[in-house]
Amino acid sequence: MGARLALQNVSLHFGGVTVLQEVGFTAEPGSILGLVGPNGAGKTSLFNCISGHYRPSAGSITIDGTEVSGDRPATLARRGLARTFQHPALQLNETVLENVLLGAHSRLPGGPVSWSLRLPRTTRSEKELRAEAAALLERHGLAWASRMPAGELSHGLHKGIELCRALLTGPSLLLLDEPAAGLPHSEVEQLIETVRRVQSDDITVVVVEHNMGLISALTDRVVVLDHGRKLMEGTAAEAQADQRVIEAYLGKDLADDAA
């Protein structure tokens, strides 16, 4: 079986500024890959290239062997890619269930026209997706909140809602952008369990995260970026022991002092 996600020599330039330079790695089906690095390393820019928000200046991005570089987010959603963001964008006056259902747009038959006309096949699909959304909330411990307005819930629960919304698209590849940001330790532990359940469904997960405890607990491998380049690739333990990584995070002088 080939790689679920493969990047080769991906570069990104804005004017004369190089943001990413010849970044490459693969993520296998059902694996969890961590993407880490100091602030400004290019992690979010790389996520934006993978998810269609930026068009790479050069290089190749494939999902299950299909070239997707430059595809729009909606096209990538139909190819099985879903993404969460550091700051979830929810409809705070809508219920939790309705927010999750917003993830179903790419699966509705006939597109927006059929949906607006309430054609019979669209109505049937809506019922099926509503049941699937409820099942996702049940599986991830949020069924109790399904009828509550999202605005009444905590930041941590907003992240859980956004994750369920992403999963309702039926992804084979899930990008998580700093899922632990702002969460207390107890909720980070719950997040780890949630992502492991996602992995058990043979979904490939790529996670950008500063919480190295979460990265160590979850990932099979990590890719470390620094100044837009891939610094190293290996296990989380290998990354934390790598002198180049220590210097990237601390600066060479502080790293030498710590040594």
Side-chain angles (χ1 to χ4, degrees):
M1 186 178 294
R4 174 65 40 79
L5 173 69
L7 278 68
Q8 184 174 8
N9 297 326
V10 172
S11 297
L12 179 66
H13 309 290
F14 291 128
V17 178
T18 297
V19 180
L20 298 168
Q21 188 164 353
E22 298 184 343
V23 177
F25 59 82
T26 61
E28 305 307 315
S31 66
I32 301 179
L33 176 73
L35 188 61
V36 301
N39 290 332
K43 304 182 296 297
T44 297
S45 294
L46 187 58
F47 254 30
N48 285 339
C49 289
I50 298 169
S51 60
H53 292 85
Y54 292 164
R55 179 185 292 271
S57 304
S60 170
I61 301 173
T62 63
I63 296 177
D64 291 324
T66 298
E67 179 67 44
V68 298
S69 301
D71 283 358
R72 295 181 179 276
T75 302
L76 290 166
R78 292 191 290 272
R79 293 194 183 280
L81 185 148
R83 176 183 177 178
T84 68
F85 293 83
Q86 182 179 353
H87 302 291
L90 303 182
Q91 300 296 315
L92 299 182
N93 293 324
E94 298 291 336
T95 68
V96 168
L97 182 61
E98 294 299 329
N99 271 280
V100 173
L101 282 167
L102 291 174
H105 61 88
S106 64
R107 296 177 56 188
L108 289 170
V113 174
S114 295
W115 177 250
S116 63
L117 293 175
R118 309 296 291 173
L119 298 180
R121 63 174 178 166
T122 305
T123 302
R124 286 195 300 273
S125 294
E126 181 192 7
K127 291 179 179 178
E128 293 167 0
L129 288 167
R130 187 173 289 272
E132 191 174 333
L136 275 170
L137 289 169
E138 177 72 35
R139 186 181 186 200
H140 295 291
L142 288 168
W144 61 272
S146 64
R147 297 183 181 277
M148 295 177 62
E152 295 182 6
L153 302 176
S154 69
H155 174 69
L157 292 175
H158 284 181
K159 292 208 166 194
I161 297 165
E162 186 189 37
L163 177 58
C164 288
R165 183 170 65 189
L167 292 174
L168 191 61
T169 68
S172 59
L173 173 62
L174 177 63
L175 308 182
L176 301 178
D177 192 351
E178 299 204 27
L183 299 186
H185 178 74
S186 60
E187 293 186 10
V188 171
E189 292 297 319
Q190 293 172 9
L191 174 64
I192 290 171
E193 294 177 9
T194 297
V195 177
R196 284 177 176 156
R197 284 195 297 269
V198 171
Q199 182 190 28
S200 71
D201 293 332
D202 200 35
I203 297 172
T204 300
V205 180
V206 183
V207 54
V208 165
E209 184 52 65
H210 287 288
N211 185 321
M212 288 305 295
L214 181 144
I215 289 293
S216 297
L218 269 184
T219 59
D220 304 302
R221 292 182 301 118
V222 299
V223 170
V224 183
L225 296 182
D226 184 39
H227 292 96
R229 290 176 174 268
K230 186 171 86 169
L231 189 61
M232 65 87 66
E233 181 175 353
T235 66
E238 289 169 343
Q240 289 174 297
D242 192 297
Q243 186 64 25
R244 294 168 299 172
V245 176
I246 295 169
E247 290 177 4
Y249 272 96
L250 297 180
K252 190 175 188 311
D253 291 340
L254 288 175
D256 289 343
D257 291 342

